Structures are given as C-alpha cells and as structure tokens.
Amino acid sequence: LTGSIPNSLAALTSLTSLGLSSNLLSGALASEFGGLTNLIDLSVFNCQLSGTISSEFSRLTRLETFGFFNNLFTGTIPSELGLLTNVVFFGVSGNPGITGTVPDTLQNLSFVNSAYFHGTSLTGGLEDLFCRFGMAD
C-alpha cells in the first residue's frame, strides 16, 4: 500500500484491529483514529508515517498493542498515553524524531511485557525507564 491513511477509516468504529504495517504509507496518523475505541491492536510499524503521536490515542482504552515503531514520528510521547492501561506491547523504537523523556504516566501501563524505545532521541537513564514501568527493584 502507498499514500496516506484515509481519515475515513476512523469512521469504522467497530474495528478491533488495524494492522497497516510494512507498507509505504506516509503522512500523519490523524487524531480522529483516537475515536476507534474498540481497537485492541493498532499496528502501523515499518511505514513512513510522520507527524506527532496524538494524545487522542489515549481514548483507545481497550488497546493491547501500540505498535508505532520504525516510522518518522516526531515530538514527545504524550503523557495521556498512560491511560492505555490494557497495553501489553508498547513500541515507538526506530523513530529518531521522538524526543523528551518517557512520561511518568506510562508507569500506569502495568500489563506491559514488551516496551521498545531504542532508535529514538529520548533522554534519561535506563533506571528511569524501568522504574516507570515498575520493573526495577
């Protein structure tokens, strides 16, 4: 697939899985996708998506997979993503334009068993990162 992700997909409110990975998709992932509140899997990795990660994705409270790695996303990780308390997989690695620190609110993701941040421009030590996920002693 090529081109941008049509905003009209955000009207498919019964979707439970949206997997668009490993395509030549470009442009931003519109904040309207935060209205897909039945989503359990949002996987858009290995594309060429750009722009910021919208805080509106925090509305996806059933989400278990947040796969945003290997794209061209920029900006900070929204602190509101700490509301995604059912997330098991959280991946933003391979987005060198992601900056700042891992938000403290991500410690609310108590079910996370895989979290990937490499290949970003995030700052802070590993101890910070693991403490935020409740993985440090």
Side-chain angles (χ1 to χ4, degrees):
L1 299 173
T2 60
S4 60
I5 299 172
N7 290 353
S8 59
L9 286 180
L12 302 175
T13 56
S14 296
L15 277 181
T16 58
S17 181
L18 183 59
L20 298 171
S21 301
S22 299
N23 285 293
L24 297 175
L25 299 171
S26 58
L29 186 60
S31 61
E32 287 83 6
F33 284 89
L36 296 175
T37 56
N38 288 311
L39 276 184
I40 295 170
D41 174 19
L42 179 56
S43 297
V44 292
F45 54 88
N46 295 332
C47 294
Q48 297 174 4
L49 297 173
S50 59
T52 59
I53 296 173
S54 174
S55 62
E56 289 296 310
F57 297 135
S58 67
R59 296 174 52 206
L60 304 175
T61 56
R62 296 183 65 202
L63 204 63
E64 295 177 7
T65 301
F66 186 87
F68 278 56
F69 55 90
N70 294 335
N71 280 289
L72 302 171
F73 289 112
T74 58
T76 60
I77 297 172
S79 61
E80 294 87 350
L81 294 186
L83 296 171
L84 301 177
T85 56
N86 289 313
V87 165
V88 176
F89 176 90
F90 188 92
V92 294
S93 64
N95 287 287
I98 292 181
T99 59
T101 61
V102 176
D104 290 336
T105 56
L106 291 192
Q107 67 189 346
N108 298 330
L109 307 183
S110 57
F111 293 112
V112 164
N113 63 31
S114 298
Y116 296 95
F117 299 94
H118 60 278
T120 65
S121 296
L122 290 167
T123 59
L126 281 178
E127 184 67 20
D128 277 348
L129 179 63
F130 288 112
C131 284
R132 289 193 175 106
F133 281 104
M135 296 176 187
D137 293 321

